[in-house]
Amino acid sequence: MLDTDFFRRWMTATAAAVDREADRLTDLDAAIGDADHGTNLQRGFTAVTAALGGESPATPGAVLTLAGRQLISTVGGASGPLYGTLLRRTGRALGEAPEVSTGQLAEALGEGVAAVAQLGGAQAGDKTMLDALLPAVQALGTSAEAARDAALAGAAATVPLLARKGRASYLGERSIGHEDPGAASSALLVGALVEAAGASGGGGA
Ligand code: ADP
Ligand code: MG
């Protein structure tokens, strides 16, 4: 089972991954956006880590709703409200449970991803974060490792796509040939699940 501490580790591992990869995320956004995705998420997840240090959310759901609130209030770009909605809605779906199974997390994350799709009006194949998140949710029914691999594959598969949402869509055909920055950062978020599980000394399924 995944406890509150697992969810804290998930968020801090995401923050660390975003720090490590901030330059790459910004470079991807320089190619088809406005070169701020790395700094946007760094600002957001730094705030998440600080908030988790200052408050002690009591449940997995409370960790994610706190994180989502921080992202919405600190990230100026499109990705702030989208990631904030993802985590808040996922947290809300987890309810008050003190521990959840990987299957319950997969189901809740599915609700979060659906909320992102609704907020942004995007669907699979539009070259957005959804192209990493949707396959990851499917694969999370199997394992966190499978979800990470599916997210990475989904992000890589955005390269040949034409962007239909967000800033990159303004480029039309010129958006083809570049990985979507939000899909790349979503793969980091999902990959951090594996790190959080690994650090627990056995909190797998
Ligand atoms: P901004 O585009 O405002 O500069 P960011 O650079 O932080 O914001 O984030 C860009 C990423 O946000 C894109 O790569 C894409 O994955 C995601 N994104 C943008 N618009 C949408 C949308 N409508 N639906 C889903 N994801 C979106
Ligand atoms: Mg940007």
Side-chain angles (χ1 to χ4, degrees), residues 11 27 36 47 49 65 69 75 85 97 112 118-119 122 146 171 174 199:
M11 292 298 102
D27 287 349
D36 65 358
T49 307
T65 51
R69 275 205 309 277
V75 180
T85 295
Q118 198 185 14
L119 177 64
L171 294 181
R174 280 183 293 134

Side-chain angles (χ1 to χ4, degrees), residues 25 28-29 32-41 75-80 82-83 116-117 119-123 126-131 164-168 179-186:
L25 296 175
L28 292 174
D29 198 31
I32 58 170
D34 57 352
D36 65 358
H37 191 57
T39 47
N40 278 345
L41 288 191
V75 180
S79 61
L82 292 164
Y83 272 120
V116 171
L119 177 64
Q123 54 187 25
D126 285 346
K127 196 178 181 104
T128 71
M129 56 176 68
L130 290 176
D131 291 313
R164 296 188 195 283
K165 292 289 168 187
R167 261 175 216 287
E179 184 173 343
D180 177 64
S185 60
S186 288

Side-chain angles (χ1 to χ4, degrees), residues 87-202:
L87 295 182
R88 282 209 317 185
R89 187 62 74 90
T90 302
R92 199 206 297 173
L94 291 176
E96 303 290 314
E99 294 187 334
V100 301
S101 67
T102 303
Q104 286 170 317
L105 173 57
E107 204 173 298
L109 199 57
E111 289 188 32
V113 172
V116 171
Q118 198 185 14
L119 177 64
Q123 54 187 25
D126 285 346
K127 196 178 181 104
T128 71
M129 56 176 68
L130 290 176
D131 291 313
L133 293 172
L134 286 166
V137 166
Q138 288 299 313
L140 190 54
T142 306
S143 69
E145 287 81 2
R148 173 199 56 200
D149 294 347
L152 283 168
T158 62
V159 172
L161 297 178
L162 175 79
R164 296 188 195 283
K165 292 289 168 187
R167 261 175 216 287
S169 66
Y170 308 158
L171 294 181
E173 303 267 317
R174 280 183 293 134
S175 66
I176 293 173
H178 304 277
E179 184 173 343
D180 177 64
S185 60
S186 288
L188 298 180
L189 176 74
V190 176
L193 279 172
V194 178
E195 292 179 58
S200 73

Side-chain angles (χ1 to χ4, degrees), residues 34-61:
D34 57 352
D36 65 358
H37 191 57
T39 47
N40 278 345
L41 288 191
Q42 248 182 331
R43 186 181 326 110
F45 277 96
T46 298
V48 168
T49 307
L52 288 173
E55 296 180 41
S56 295
T59 60

